[in-house]
């Protein structure tokens, strides 16, 4: 007589939101695989009987995407296509009680720092020997490295501290080990991320220690590019600019979210700075690291933002001529300081202002890109798409910045290769080149 054998569990991790969430999912993937649990990320086949949704809860659109994704898998569970559904990440951290009531099909909700608890659902242990190791979900030649978790800043509009908690820096030795392990697996570019990277080290070294971290990571053999993201402008440690200028494998690139260009709004946002101080910092950065590409993000339509405030921000962008820029419309987030104010800028006005800034940025980006024509840049090949190789220069981060498009024709490149590419043509956000 035959007995029925239970099919072995297979887990699919679905990631929503930012690169910091992606790193969390990669750590989760590594721990589950380390416990001999068959696990995939963003599986193309619907053959997993257990699904973990790693959610984002940053702004309204992100929250809605997370909720829609949870509901989709909740329906799949009701139809018998999925046996277990777990939810983790920022949305789960922030709205756990509400979600439990609204979506009872979910077997358990976990917060942003609850990985050991989630692993217990699989009768698995958190393996400390895997700290510093990660199964990458990207191509592998570049990898995000989270240097800290949480944030201590009091920004009025931001719910990140509610979801991610207080700032906790990772020790330099742990990050060095992670970098060395990544190199062993073919990684050539490290993208350093945190909620606030310039705060790095204050909690464990009692000083801003980003410069030493950059130096130590720069010494790791095999790392060809190091890229710094999410630098908070207030209390900016200028010594990192010296390291950036002196070390060839640290990209002349800085992602520094400024959020606004009006002193009145910056004060209301509790950013601890002014437009004038921001402009002074920008000038200092460009003086110390000639040719650096500055990326920033801004918010349009903050409560009380007047026409004059917006004009001040617009003029600030026009003067600053950022190499890269993104802008969001303000999202009124519960339990933030700004939620005490009336969300008084109409949605259509928010969008009009955001569009106006982006139109200005398109013009600036086009002019800056035209200056690149005829010049040759070291380019990292990321993927093949539509009969062309798609790459990036040191002035561009994946997914958010300019790309270099190289017709395949007679060029023989591999993903993860570096190539010297001459720029033959340029649009607002793309460069077209040929291998020299």
């Amino acid at each position: 007589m035959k007995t029925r054998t239970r099919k072995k569990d297979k887990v699919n991790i679905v990631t929503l939101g930012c690169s910091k969430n992606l790193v969390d999912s990669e750590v989760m993937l590594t721990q589950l695989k380390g416990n001999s649990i068959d696990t995939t990320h963003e599986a193309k086949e619907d053959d997993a009987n257990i699904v973990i949704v790693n959610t984002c809860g940053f702004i309204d659109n992100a929250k809605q995407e997370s909720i829609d994704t949870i509901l989709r898998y909740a329906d799949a569970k009701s139809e018998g296509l999925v046996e277990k559904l777990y939810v983790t990440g920022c949305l789960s951290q922030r709205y756990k009680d509400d979600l439990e009531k609204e979506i009872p099909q979910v077997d358990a909700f976990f917060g942003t720092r609850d990985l050991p608890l989630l692993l217990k659902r699989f009768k698995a242990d958190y393996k400390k020997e895997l700290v510093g190791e990660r199964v990458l979900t990207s191509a592998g030649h570049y990898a995000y490295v989270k240097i800290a978790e949480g944030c201590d800043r009091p920004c009025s509009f931001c719910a990140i501290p509610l979801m991610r908690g207080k700032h906790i820096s990772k020790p330099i030795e742990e990050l060095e080990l992670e970098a060395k392990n990544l190199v062993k697996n073919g990684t050539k570019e490290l993208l350093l991320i945190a909620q606030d990277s310039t705060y790095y080290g204050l909690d464990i070294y009692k000083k801003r220690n980003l410069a030493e971290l950059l130096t130590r990571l720069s010494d790791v053999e095999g790392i060809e590019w190091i890229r710094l993201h999410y630098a908070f402008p207030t209390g900016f440690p200028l010594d990192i600019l010296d390291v950036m200028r002196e070390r060839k494998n640290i990209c002349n690139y800085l992602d520094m979210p400024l959020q606004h260009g009006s002193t009145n709004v910056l004060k209301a946002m509790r950013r601890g700075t002014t437009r004038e101080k921001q402009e002074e910092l920008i000038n200092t950065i460009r003086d110390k690291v000639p040719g650096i590409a500055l990326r920033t993000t801004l918010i349009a339509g903050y409560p009380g933002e007047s026409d004059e405030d917006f004009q001040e921000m617009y003029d600030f962008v026009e003067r600053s001529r950022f190499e890269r820029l993104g802008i969001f419309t303000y999202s009124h987030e519960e339990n933030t300081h700004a939620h005490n104010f009336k969300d008084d800028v109409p949605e259509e006005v928010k969008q009009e202002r955001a569009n106006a800034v982006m139109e200005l940025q398109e013009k600036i980006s086009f002019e800056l890109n035209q200056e690149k024509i005829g010049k040759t840049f070291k380019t990292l090949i990321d993927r093949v798409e539509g009969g062309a190789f798609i790459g990036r220069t040191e002035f561009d981060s994946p997914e958010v910045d300019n790309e270099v498009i190289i017709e395949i024709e007679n060029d023989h490149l591999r993903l993860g290769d570096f190539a010297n590419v001459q720029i033959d043509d340029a649009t607002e956000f793309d460069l077209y080149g040929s291998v020299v």
Side-chain angles (χ1 to χ4, degrees):
M1 178 179 173
K2 290 185 177 180
T3 57
R4 291 185 65 185
T5 58
R6 187 179 181 279
K7 190 178 178 182
K8 189 179 178 184
D9 287 337
K10 184 172 183 179
V11 181
N12 180 29
I13 300 172
V14 179
T15 305
L16 302 163
C18 66
S19 55
K20 294 177 277 293
N21 255 22
L22 180 64
V23 172
D24 290 345
S25 287
E26 290 174 343
V27 171
M28 192 188 314
L29 180 66
T30 305
Q31 287 287 337
L32 288 167
K33 282 180 172 287
N35 279 276
S36 301
I37 296 166
D38 187 7
T39 309
T40 59
H41 182 263
E42 306 281 4
K44 293 178 182 177
E45 302 290 333
D46 288 330
D47 59 349
N49 64 316
I50 300 173
V51 174
I52 302 171
V53 181
N54 189 3
T55 58
C56 178
F58 183 47
I59 56 177
D60 288 340
N61 289 344
K63 286 187 280 190
Q64 191 58 54
E65 183 186 16
S66 291
I67 290 168
D68 291 344
T69 304
I70 298 167
L71 289 172
R72 186 167 75 247
Y73 284 105
D75 289 343
K77 187 184 175 193
S78 298
E79 294 168 11
L81 302 174
V82 171
E83 292 176 26
K84 296 284 185 181
L85 174 58
Y86 300 118
V87 175
T88 186
C90 291
L91 190 80
S92 184
Q93 174 77 32
R94 194 174 176 192
Y95 298 109
K96 181 180 178 182
D97 293 343
D98 294 335
L99 291 168
E100 284 177 337
K101 294 173 188 173
E102 296 294 328
I103 316 178
Q105 297 97 322
V106 175
D107 292 276
F109 291 89
F110 300 93
T112 54
R113 300 183 182 182
D114 288 345
L115 178 57
L117 293 177
L118 192 155
L119 291 172
K120 284 184 179 179
R121 289 280 172 156
F122 297 88
K123 295 182 172 57
D125 296 321
Y126 182 82
K127 293 185 176 292
K128 291 185 178 179
E129 63 268 28
L130 292 177
V131 171
E133 293 192 19
R134 242 172 55 228
V135 176
L136 297 182
T137 57
S138 62
H141 56 272
Y142 68 84
Y144 293 98
V145 175
K146 191 191 288 190
I147 65 173
E149 181 60 276
C151 185
D152 287 354
R153 302 289 186 176
C155 302
S156 63
F157 55 85
C158 186
I160 292 295
L162 300 172
M163 298 180 284
R164 291 284 177 177
K166 288 287 196 178
H167 179 100
I168 301 175
S169 302
K170 278 189 182 178
I172 288 176
E173 293 75 17
E174 190 176 313
L175 292 165
E176 275 184 310
L177 176 62
E178 185 173 345
K180 289 173 182 176
N181 287 334
L182 288 167
V183 168
K184 287 178 187 175
N185 292 311
T187 298
K188 300 175 181 178
E189 177 184 14
L190 303 181
L191 301 103
L192 306 189
I193 57 173
Q195 307 301 335
D196 175 7
S197 60
T198 48
Y199 201 88
Y200 178 80
L202 267 175
D203 53 328
I204 54 177
Y205 301 115
K206 309 309 174 190
K207 63 175 182 176
R208 295 181 188 274
N209 215 26
L210 185 57
E212 183 182 350
L213 173 64
L214 286 170
T215 301
R216 298 268 288 270
L217 292 179
S218 174
D219 287 336
V220 174
E221 191 173 344
I223 295 298
E224 296 201 41
W225 278 356
I226 297 173
R227 190 179 301 280
L228 185 59
H229 291 76
Y230 316 130
F232 198 95
T234 308
F236 186 93
L238 294 174
D239 56 349
I240 70 173
L241 302 175
D242 298 326
V243 180
M244 189 178 287
R245 186 180 64 248
E246 293 161 6
R247 297 293 180 118
K248 289 184 178 180
N249 62 350
I250 299 179
C251 296
N252 288 338
Y253 177 98
L254 182 66
D255 186 333
M256 184 169 64
L258 297 174
Q259 310 303 1
H260 215 277
S262 157
T263 294
N264 286 338
V265 176
L266 288 167
K267 183 177 179 181
M269 286 180 165
R270 307 205 297 182
R271 293 284 289 174
T273 190
T274 62
R275 174 186 56 75
E276 293 82 1
K277 287 180 180 177
Q278 289 188 160
E279 287 186 312
E280 184 180 341
L281 177 59
I282 290 166
N283 291 335
T284 299
I285 291 169
R286 285 176 167 160
D287 286 344
K288 282 184 169 285
V289 187
I292 190 171
L294 284 179
R295 175 177 180 81
T296 196
T297 46
L298 303 170
I299 296 173
Y302 183 83
E305 181 189 74
S306 65
D307 290 340
E308 292 76 18
D309 291 325
F310 171 70
Q311 189 62 49
E312 188 179 353
M313 175 165 70
Y314 185 93
D315 294 343
F316 168 67
V317 171
E318 192 167 36
R319 283 193 305 275
S320 300
R321 292 179 67 80
F322 295 104
E323 284 74 15
R324 313 283 179 257
L325 182 146
I327 186 165
F328 297 92
T329 55
Y330 170 75
S331 179
H332 209 43
E333 294 297 312
E334 297 169 316
N335 299 318
T336 62
H337 180 76
H339 201 261
N340 297 319
F341 308 132
K342 185 180 178 184
D343 187 10
D344 57 355
V345 180
E347 286 300 321
E348 62 270 20
V349 175
K350 291 179 185 177
Q351 197 59 58
E352 284 170 7
R353 290 175 177 175
N355 291 345
V357 169
M358 281 314 299
E359 285 176 14
L360 171 61
Q361 182 59 32
E362 283 183 20
K363 176 175 175 289
I364 293 168
S365 184
F366 179 79
E367 291 170 356
L368 294 175
N369 280 351
Q370 290 299 301
E371 295 172 7
K372 292 183 171 68
I373 294 175
K375 296 178 181 177
T376 299
F377 297 92
K378 182 179 178 181
T379 302
L380 179 58
I381 306 303
D382 280 340
R383 65 186 192 279
V384 176
E385 187 178 284
F389 294 108
I390 310 296
R392 291 176 291 113
T393 71
E394 72 170 295
F395 308 113
D396 299 290
S397 200
E399 299 178 4
V400 294
D401 290 331
N402 289 5
E403 293 182 324
V404 182
I405 300 166
I406 308 157
E407 293 301 320
I408 290 179
E409 296 181 350
N410 299 319
D411 293 323
H412 299 286
L413 301 173
R414 295 174 302 175
L415 300 190
D417 275 355
F418 283 97
N420 289 319
V421 177
Q422 178 178 292
I423 305 305
D424 304 319
D425 197 6
T427 61
E428 292 89 338
F429 300 119
D430 285 315
L431 303 171
Y432 297 84
S434 49
V435 177
V436 177

